[in-house]
Amino acid sequence: MCDDWDDNAEVVVPHYATQAFTRSNGDTNRNWRDNSQREYSHRSAPREDRRNGYRGGGNHGPRRNNGNDATAIKVPSKFVGRIIGRGGTKISDLQFESGAKINVTKETDGNETVIKLIGDADAVAKAESLIRDLTIEREYKQFNPEPKQEEAPVEEEPVAQWQNPAPKPAPTEEINWLEMFKQCEENEKAEWAKLPPIIKEFYFEHPEVTAMTDEEVENFRIENNNIVVERTFKTENSKPVPKPIQTFEQAFHKYPEILEEIRKAGFVKPSPIQSQAWPVLLNGEDLIGIAQTGTGKTLAFLLPALVHIDGQLVSRAERGGPAVLVMAPTRELALQIDKEVKKYEYKGITAVCVYGGGNRREQIKIVTDGVDIVIATPGRLNDLIEAQHLNIKFVTYVVLDEADRMLDMGFEPQIRKVMYRIRPTRQTVMTSATWPMGVRRLAQSYMVDPIQIYVGTLDLAATHTVTQIIEVIPDDDAEKFKVFMDFANNLHPSEKVIVFCGKKARADDLSSELSLAGLQCQTIHGNRDQSDREQALIDIADGTVQFLIATDVASRGLDIDDITHVINYDFPRNIEEYVHRVGRTGRAGKTGKSISYFTRGDWAQAKDLIAILEEAEQHVPEEIYKMADRYASWKERKDASRPSGGRGRGGGRRW
């Protein structure tokens, strides 16, 4: 670009104090000339203009260099970006408005950059003026400071006695934050108090339950998978924990419509979690339910919610929003809960499932028209609340389903944001498959003297209705694929399989290979459209396909009763996910089989896997024990070789 310039000319820095930029090479009236008579253009000029000959500002712009002046000015380099604009949009506007061609050269000394203007005198003057308006004179003077002139000291006049001196500023008043927080809490309580009171107690203990002795209650709990019930946070004023029920009639004998819906569903007797949870929830207590997947936790909190909705003082038509809110970690689990809710018709209660990837406009229409139960993922829920499409002020019954999974996925901020907007006197239910510290923290923050029910043990354990097989194979993709295809080709047509992969790309690859082999399959992972994910679940449920290839997005919440096998093609990164994957089979009292491919790269999980297998009385390959020992020895050596204290070499931080 600089080759097009007149090398004999001299560029002089413009002076912002003058009306226009100054140009000088000994003669202030001399302008830069285009000695080569070549056309100058800027990269930001439209491609079509450069192809057809730049016309600048229509008929007033410079045409091909017809002898017009070429003027050079210098501007501070830090203003060049402001002159060019994003994608060259600003410089194009300047050229159009002035009629001059503006060419930013690469000639710079670091502080200043040369800009070349081409056009007639009026166009160049206009361009100079526009460029000057884009630059700030006082900032430019940082590069060209003018000599300071000494000023004579000014004597201060004495203040007359009758004059009042300037008042001193008032001292800054300190803020009492504790008092402010206290006032804020009082204001919130006053606002919540304006709402109608919440009715929570709907339980009428059946005479048969009342007649149970403490010994009979204890024996029933032990026989039903060792149900353990206790107050999570022990307090002196806690009420006794309700006794468990043994039949549906004992729980809902005052609600014949509920009993009729249960009869239609074909259930024989309550599951262990249901037998203890229903009396607790109908009694208005907060509940933490910890049980393995597939044990009936959804129905445990759903049926009391239906009774709760119908029993409030304000009719459903008069409420300004839903009465029940269920939060779930994934779209699949939210849709599964929604499907379960809609199996039961109770006094016209309606529900909607809102989740990212679904039809947002349709979801907004349903919630604004009025709905009783909202099942939602945290992201879309916050979206609708912030947009003021969904009012949760009238929510009186909240469920945090699979709370441990929501925390693992990083949803704690969204959960807390939602819970802050719901009245604190609500009834709160939390379900979880495990009991980590994060779940305990949530319970302490948002629950009032909750009753904790856990079935089996708090130690992580896989369901005992699944036969767990571990196949130790070489850490070789080709070998693993061969083992899997041998299994797939010998599968009985009546059997269904969920294959878990660690990566989305792997899931797609396996799906392609199965399709090429003539085996019907579907895939489900985060990169698939929501409609495709829903169709995949429909296809595996109705038998259209025999294989569902999935990532951990499907490890929880999927309730497909007739899954016969789970294949861990890639062993999960933590043992919790292993337990949840295995739980996709052996559901609703049926048996299942899980097969896990275990390689040298998975040796960090060997110790925890041994504990799971031994607890379920499953066979543990000898190689798994050896891997656990080798990993422990390796980790011990690694820890011993680390420098003591600090980071990096020498125990200090490396910068």
Side-chain angles (χ1 to χ4, degrees):
M1 189 176 295
C2 295
D3 295 339
D4 297 332
W5 289 57
D6 182 355
D7 295 332
N8 298 320
E10 179 183 355
V11 178
V12 177
V13 180
H15 196 289
Y16 277 77
T18 61
Q19 184 67 22
F21 288 96
T22 305
R23 320 166 194 95
S24 172
N25 65 345
D27 179 0
T28 57
N29 293 323
R30 176 177 176 178
N31 292 326
W32 286 74
R33 300 289 182 180
D34 181 10
N35 294 336
S36 63
Q37 297 295 313
R38 294 168 60 182
E39 178 186 5
Y40 300 94
S41 64
H42 191 274
R43 286 177 297 177
S44 65
R47 183 181 303 169
E48 187 175 343
D49 291 345
R50 296 200 302 269
R51 184 167 57 245
N52 298 328
Y54 181 77
R55 293 295 183 265
N59 294 331
H60 301 287
R63 305 180 186 279
R64 292 188 182 273
N65 193 10
N66 295 325
N68 289 330
D69 291 341
T71 303
I73 61 174
K74 286 186 178 181
V75 298
S77 297
K78 67 178 182 178
F79 292 132
V80 169
R82 184 184 300 180
I83 294 169
I84 295 175
R86 185 183 296 274
T89 55
K90 187 61 182 177
I91 201 168
S92 295
D93 292 342
L94 294 173
Q95 291 179 135
F96 181 83
E97 189 173 350
S98 66
K101 187 184 298 183
I102 302 172
N103 202 358
V104 179
T105 74
K106 295 181 180 179
E107 186 173 334
T108 178
D109 61 3
N111 290 332
E112 295 172 323
T113 298
V114 175
I115 294 182
K116 189 174 181 182
L117 309 176
I118 304 172
D120 56 37
D122 291 340
V124 169
K126 179 66 173 175
E128 289 179 356
S129 176
L130 293 173
I131 292 174
R132 183 173 65 250
D133 291 342
L134 285 177
T135 58
I136 303 172
E137 182 176 353
R138 57 184 174 84
E139 291 190 18
Y140 179 78
K141 287 183 178 179
Q142 294 176 3
F143 298 97
N144 299 274
E146 297 181 359
K148 295 183 179 179
Q149 297 180 356
E150 296 185 1
E151 297 180 358
V154 179
E155 294 183 4
E156 295 183 1
E157 295 182 4
V159 179
Q161 294 182 356
W162 55 269
Q163 290 179 326
N164 294 325
K168 294 182 180 180
T172 304
E173 183 179 354
E174 294 186 2
I175 299 175
N176 188 335
W177 291 106
L178 292 177
E179 186 64 30
M180 182 174 289
F181 290 146
K182 182 179 179 181
Q183 184 63 42
C184 181
E185 290 179 0
E186 291 176 356
N187 292 341
E188 287 180 357
K189 289 180 181 178
E191 286 297 316
W192 291 122
K194 296 177 183 178
L195 296 176
I198 302 175
I199 307 299
K200 296 183 181 180
E201 298 183 14
F202 304 97
Y203 185 55
F204 301 91
E205 190 173 70
H206 195 279
E208 295 175 358
V209 178
T210 306
M212 291 177 69
T213 65
D214 291 343
E215 184 179 357
E216 289 174 334
V217 168
E218 187 64 25
N219 289 336
F220 175 82
R221 289 171 176 166
I222 293 173
E223 292 169 2
N224 282 267
N225 206 4
N226 191 28
I227 303 171
V228 179
V229 188
E230 62 181 4
R231 293 278 178 181
T232 307
F233 311 113
K234 308 291 190 302
T235 60
E236 296 180 358
N237 300 323
S238 296
K239 297 185 296 184
V241 175
K243 298 176 182 179
I245 54 92
Q246 302 177 58
T247 65
F248 296 115
E249 289 76 13
Q250 290 177 355
F252 300 105
H253 61 99
K254 292 290 184 179
Y255 308 100
E257 297 95 333
I258 295 287
L259 287 175
E260 178 62 21
E261 293 301 313
I262 293 174
R263 186 192 63 78
K264 290 179 182 177
F267 293 117
V268 178
K269 68 174 185 176
S271 70
I273 186 71
Q274 293 166 359
S275 65
Q276 187 62 72
W278 282 335
V280 170
L281 291 176
L282 289 172
N283 205 38
E285 301 271 10
D286 285 0
L287 171 69
I288 301 170
I290 303 173
Q292 300 166 356
T293 56
T295 54
K297 286 183 290 185
T298 302
L299 204 61
F301 65 73
L302 171 60
L303 295 186
L306 299 179
V307 175
H308 177 98
I309 293 171
D310 187 62
Q312 298 309 305
L313 296 176
V314 181
S315 67
R316 300 202 304 272
E318 295 174 348
R319 293 187 195 123
V324 172
L325 174 64
V326 182
M327 278 187 273
T330 64
R331 307 172 192 175
E332 282 70 30
L333 180 54
L335 288 167
Q336 185 67 46
I337 297 170
D338 182 56
K339 180 181 177 183
E340 193 73 16
V341 170
K342 290 174 180 175
K343 289 180 182 178
Y344 304 93
E345 297 180 4
Y346 184 70
K347 298 190 176 182
I349 289 175
T350 57
V352 65
C353 184
V354 298
Y355 53 89
N359 189 319
R360 187 173 185 272
R361 182 175 298 178
E362 183 178 330
Q363 294 171 4
I364 290 172
K365 183 180 185 305
I366 295 174
V367 298
T368 52
D369 287 348
V371 70
D372 300 305
I373 303 174
V374 170
I375 303 112
T377 53
R380 175 54 61 89
L381 178 62
N382 273 280
D383 171 30
L384 297 183
I385 293 172
E386 291 295 330
Q388 298 183 352
H389 296 303
L390 177 59
N391 183 2
I392 59 174
K393 184 171 67 174
F394 296 93
V395 168
T396 54
Y397 189 102
V398 180
V399 180
L400 303 177
D401 198 22
E402 297 281 9
D404 53 344
R405 177 65 165 164
M406 285 197 284
L407 295 186
D408 289 343
M409 297 175 69
F411 286 133
E412 184 170 355
Q414 289 92 331
I415 293 171
R416 291 188 177 274
K417 193 172 183 180
V418 170
M419 297 298 284
Y420 177 76
R421 295 172 179 263
I422 302 174
R423 56 198 297 188
T425 53
R426 66 192 171 258
Q427 186 174 2
T428 307
V429 185
M430 184 184 295
T431 74
S432 181
T434 56
W435 184 232
M437 184 56 66
V439 176
R440 301 182 195 188
R441 188 171 59 247
L442 274 183
Q444 197 165 13
S445 299
Y446 300 113
M447 306 186 85
V448 179
D449 197 17
I451 293 176
Q452 182 172 303
I453 303 172
Y454 53 93
V455 178
T457 173
L458 278 179
D459 296 328
L460 193 65
T463 176
H464 289 205
T465 59
V466 177
T467 301
Q468 302 174 57
I469 299 173
I470 307 298
E471 294 190 14
V472 181
I473 61 176
D475 199 353
D476 179 80
D477 288 344
E479 180 66 22
K480 182 187 289 188
F481 177 72
K482 179 179 181 301
V483 172
F484 171 71
M485 291 305 296
D486 287 343
F487 163 82
N489 288 321
N490 290 287
L491 196 67
H492 192 275
S494 64
E495 295 175 318
K496 295 181 183 179
V497 185
I498 297 181
V499 183
F500 285 103
C501 301
K503 295 181 179 179
K504 304 167 190 174
R506 172 94 76 184
D508 288 335
D509 290 344
L510 280 185
S511 176
S512 299
E513 294 294 342
L514 286 173
S515 298
L516 290 173
L519 300 173
Q520 300 298 316
C521 68
Q522 268 280 21
T523 58
I524 179 170
H525 55 66
N527 282 356
R528 299 208 72 190
D529 291 340
Q530 184 59 34
S531 58
D532 294 333
R533 293 166 67 168
E534 293 175 16
Q535 187 61 49
L537 295 179
I538 294 172
D539 289 347
I540 189 68
D542 64 16
T544 302
V545 300
Q546 194 175 10
F547 294 85
L548 178 64
I549 317 296
T551 57
D552 279 331
V553 72
S555 66
R556 302 195 190 198
L558 296 190
D559 189 11
I560 304 172
D561 292 340
D562 55 352
I563 295 296
T564 59
H565 291 75
V566 165
I567 302 293
N568 285 311
Y569 191 92
D570 296 317
F571 200 83
R573 292 168 293 180
N574 58 69
I575 206 66
E576 288 83 1
E577 287 305 323
Y578 172 81
V579 170
H580 290 298
R581 289 182 180 184
V582 169
R584 294 311 98 203
T585 185
R587 301 176 70 85
K590 298 180 181 178
T591 59
K593 183 180 291 186
S594 75
I595 302 173
S596 302
Y597 301 147
F598 203 91
T599 68
R600 166 67 174 75
D602 303 315
W603 67 336
Q605 307 296 334
K607 180 181 178 181
D608 292 334
L609 177 60
I610 290 170
I612 296 294
L613 295 174
E614 289 181 343
E615 191 278 334
E617 300 180 353
Q618 302 290 314
H619 171 68
V620 182
E622 186 63 29
E623 184 60 26
I624 299 297
Y625 287 112
K626 293 179 180 178
M627 282 190 183
D629 293 339
R630 288 198 298 267
Y631 178 76
S633 300
W634 172 82
K635 194 172 187 304
E636 185 177 347
R637 292 194 305 271
K638 183 180 178 182
D639 292 342
S641 64
R642 287 177 178 170
S644 58
R647 297 182 181 179
R649 298 178 181 175
R653 184 186 295 273
R654 297 182 64 191
W655 297 95

